[in-house]
């Protein structure tokens, strides 16, 4: 299996690096990007290769997030930095859902519309569940979908799982093992089947990326700056995701009286998440509402969930209400999370969110996921879970032209 597909390469960022110019690299993805792994290691390698260049890096990784939120936060977290190169890493969190291809294309088109001279690199991480496919010669489903986008736009891509799988086959790597276990002569790649160990696991990712970068450099024809490809028609017809955005909630939203805007000075939780949100809109009582009037195809909420989270009763354009639970199987602690409602016809919509009076059986949620530790946490702290709190950070919209 090939680990690297060069396509049109990275001509512009390499040109600037070789000329000793200032270069900005944004690492855009999920938890594997946010961690101090391949992101930090590849930047150090580049600084060693190009000591005369002034290399700035931006950590735009957010744990547990996919390309749908990526489309919405692209302007704030990526494009505002005027990058020369954007690493895109979303295969793991997208999980191979069919919509992933459209969302990845939305990211590419937003970047290319902003600057035709910004280079893009797709990197595909690997989970233990992907090993069987790799060993039978098949890339994971999500990577195959992104490869269609990469082919259409000429974007180089790196399959980080190829080297990992080869090391497993050679008996030199144990994919997952308990933290306290060491095995002579073998690398422990993860402790949880998903996140590579630091430095050992992420060093494999880094080595794969750097040797691919060397190949890109060798293939370059030294023509200087290159205007990257942006077809007028998207690969996915009528793809709305290049029009995704992330906005402050109060632009389109009417709040009932029970909502309070909390700032880092007001509330410890906001201080903990001030790298994501300048403040949080917080309500604790059932019956409190927000109403959003907007034009577009998608609406979502970027929020903080935890043991105290409630659920929302949603009404779209006066239709039949349905529930979205802001308590998840992972909420035995506070964590950033988000949700998009199902796609709507492109046009004007009114969406009403109401904190539901009925409470989720949170112990049952943990029990269904087999999480004994979290079930014990409910038993120890029942008052934390017996609440209906909603804490909202940003509004997510997709607004293609009418």
């Amino acid at each position: 299996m090939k680990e690297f597909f060069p396509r049109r390469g990275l001509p512009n960022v390499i040109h600037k690096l070789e000329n000793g110019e200032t270069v900005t690299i944004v690492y855009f993805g999920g938890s594997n990007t946010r961690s101090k792994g391949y992101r930090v290691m590849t930047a150090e390698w580049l600084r060693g290769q190009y000591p005369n260049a002034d290399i700035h890096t931006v950590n735009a990784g957010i744990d547990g997030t996919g390309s749908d939120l990526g489309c919405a936060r692209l302007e704030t977290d990526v494009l505002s930095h005027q990058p020369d190169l954007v690493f895109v890493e979303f295969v793991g969190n997208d999980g191979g859902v069919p919509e992933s291809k459209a969302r990845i294309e939305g990211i590419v088109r937003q970047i290319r519309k902003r600057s035709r001279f910004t280079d893009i690199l797709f990197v595909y991480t690997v989970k233990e569940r992907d090993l069987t496919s790799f060993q039978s010669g098949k890339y994971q489903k999500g990577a195959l979908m992104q490869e269609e986008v990469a082919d259409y736009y000429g974007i180089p891509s790196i399959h980080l799982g190829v080297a990992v799988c080869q090391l497993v086959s050679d008996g030199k790597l144990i994919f997952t093992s308990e933290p306290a276990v060491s095995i002579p002569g073998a690398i422990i790649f993860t402790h949880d089947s998903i996140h590579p160990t630091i430095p050992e696991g992420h060093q494999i990712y880094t080595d794969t990326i750097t040797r691919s970068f060397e190949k890109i450099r060798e293939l370059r024809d030294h023509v200087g700056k290159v205007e990257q490809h942006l077809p007028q028609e998207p690969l996915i017809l009528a793809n709305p995701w290049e029009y995704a955005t992330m906005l402050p909630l109060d632009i389109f939203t009417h709040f009932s009286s029970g909502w309070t805007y909390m700032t880092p000075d007001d509330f410890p939780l906001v201080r903990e998440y001030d790298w994501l949100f300048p403040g949080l809109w917080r309500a604790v009582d059932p019956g409190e509402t927000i109403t959003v009037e907007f034009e577009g195809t998608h609406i979502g909420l970027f929020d903080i969930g935890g043991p105290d989270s409630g659920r929302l009763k949603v009404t779209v354009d006066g239709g039949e209400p349905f529930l979205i639970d802001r308590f998840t199987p992972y909420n035995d602690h506070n964590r950033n999370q988000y949700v998009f409602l199902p796609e709507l016809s492109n046009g004007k919509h009114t969406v009403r969110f109401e904190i539901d009076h009925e409470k989720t059986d949170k112990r049952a949620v943990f029990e269904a996921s087999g999480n004994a530790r979290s079930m014990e946490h409910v038993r120890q702290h029942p008052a934390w879970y017996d609440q209906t709190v909603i804490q909202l950070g940003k509004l997510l919209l997709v607004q293609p032209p009418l």
Side-chain angles (χ1 to χ4, degrees):
M1 297 177 72
K2 290 177 62 177
E3 68 180 11
F4 171 56
F5 293 83
R7 299 189 179 90
R8 291 179 56 131
L10 304 172
N12 299 308
V13 70
I14 292 178
H15 175 74
K16 294 186 74 171
L17 288 167
E18 291 179 345
N19 286 348
E21 299 180 41
T22 298
V23 167
T24 298
I25 302 173
V26 176
Y27 293 84
F28 187 42
S31 54
N32 282 319
T33 293
R34 182 162 180 78
S35 70
K36 295 180 179 179
Y38 87 87
R39 171 179 57 83
V40 172
M41 295 174 179
T42 57
E44 289 175 351
W45 181 85
L46 286 168
R47 291 188 178 104
Q49 294 286 305
Y50 300 99
N52 296 325
D54 184 13
I55 300 174
H56 298 267
T57 63
V58 176
N59 182 359
I62 302 180
D63 296 358
T65 65
S67 58
D68 47 0
L69 180 66
C71 286
R73 67 184 181 90
L74 194 71
E75 173 63 40
T76 301
D77 295 350
V78 177
L79 300 181
S80 63
H81 298 284
Q82 299 180 304
D84 298 290
L85 171 62
V86 181
F87 280 74
V88 177
E89 177 267 310
F90 285 115
V91 159
N93 287 336
D94 277 4
V97 297
E99 296 82 5
S100 176
K101 183 164 64 173
R103 296 164 181 169
I104 290 293
E105 183 181 34
I107 288 171
V108 171
R109 292 189 70 85
Q110 285 188 62
I111 295 171
R112 291 272 167 91
K113 284 194 297 185
R114 175 61 66 88
S115 171
R116 298 285 288 273
F117 298 98
T118 296
D119 293 336
I120 304 170
L121 177 63
F122 287 174
V123 292
Y124 309 132
T125 58
V126 65
K127 299 181 179 182
E128 188 168 24
R129 71 185 186 197
D130 302 322
L131 277 183
T132 303
S133 294
F134 271 85
Q135 289 168 340
S136 63
K138 298 176 183 177
Y139 302 110
Q140 62 267 64
K141 187 192 301 184
L144 292 174
M145 288 190 291
Q146 289 199 28
E147 284 291 88
E148 293 183 52
V149 178
D151 277 336
Y152 193 67
Y153 291 93
I155 295 168
S157 60
I158 304 173
H159 293 262
L160 301 177
V162 173
V164 175
C165 184
Q166 186 61 54
L167 288 168
V168 171
S169 298
D170 294 343
K172 297 178 180 178
L173 183 145
I174 306 300
F175 202 99
T176 303
S177 181
E178 294 295 326
V181 175
S182 64
I183 301 172
I187 298 166
I188 304 300
F189 187 62
T190 79
H191 298 313
D192 62 1
S193 80
I194 298 171
H195 300 97
T197 53
I198 297 174
E200 297 86 357
H202 269 279
Q203 188 63 57
I204 299 169
Y205 279 180
T206 300
D207 291 344
T208 304
I209 292 169
T210 56
R211 66 174 166 263
S212 299
F213 199 95
E214 288 174 337
K215 292 176 184 176
I216 292 174
R217 187 165 53 191
E218 291 168 9
L219 293 169
R220 183 168 163 265
D221 56 14
H222 298 280
V223 295
K225 292 178 69 175
V226 173
E227 190 170 351
Q228 295 285 17
H229 187 48
L230 179 62
Q232 184 173 354
E233 292 296 326
L235 174 65
I236 310 297
L237 295 179
N239 186 356
W241 284 96
E242 66 181 281
Y243 303 101
T245 187
M246 181 171 71
L247 298 168
L249 274 149
D250 52 2
I251 292 180
F252 291 103
T253 305
H254 172 75
F255 294 88
S256 63
S257 60
W259 291 86
T260 304
Y261 186 69
M262 312 297 288
T263 70
D265 294 332
D266 304 322
F267 200 47
L269 184 66
V270 185
R271 289 196 291 276
E272 182 181 347
Y273 285 94
D274 61 0
W275 61 280
L276 275 182
F277 310 120
L280 288 171
W281 287 95
R282 189 171 192 269
V284 300
D285 295 324
E288 298 296 341
T289 64
I290 67 169
T291 303
V292 185
E293 295 182 359
F294 76 104
E295 293 182 356
T297 58
H298 295 77
I299 180 171
L301 300 170
F302 194 10
D303 59 340
I304 300 295
D308 56 0
S309 290
R311 58 189 189 181
L312 293 168
K313 184 161 59 177
V314 184
T315 305
V316 178
D317 298 330
E320 192 69 23
F322 58 94
L323 294 172
I324 55 171
D325 207 335
R326 303 318 299 136
F327 180 83
T328 77
Y330 309 103
N331 284 152
D332 60 359
H333 62 285
N334 293 315
R335 64 191 298 271
N336 57 267
Q337 56 190 29
Y338 67 99
V339 62
F340 277 96
L341 301 191
E343 185 171 4
L344 303 168
S345 60
N346 193 15
K348 295 182 178 180
H349 300 285
T350 300
V351 180
R352 184 177 185 270
F353 300 88
E354 178 184 348
I355 300 179
D356 193 34
H357 284 76
E358 293 188 25
K359 297 176 181 176
T360 299
D361 185 342
K362 296 176 181 179
R363 182 181 175 84
V365 171
F366 290 145
E367 189 172 357
S369 63
N371 193 331
R373 179 179 61 86
S374 297
M375 290 165 61
E376 176 61 19
H377 195 252
V378 177
R379 191 190 68 78
Q380 293 177 358
H381 305 283
W384 294 3
Y385 289 87
D386 189 27
Q387 299 182 61
T388 57
V389 176
I390 299 293
Q391 302 174 122
L392 305 177
K394 290 290 180 72
L395 181 67
L396 310 174
L397 296 176
V398 180
Q399 298 182 291
L402 291 173

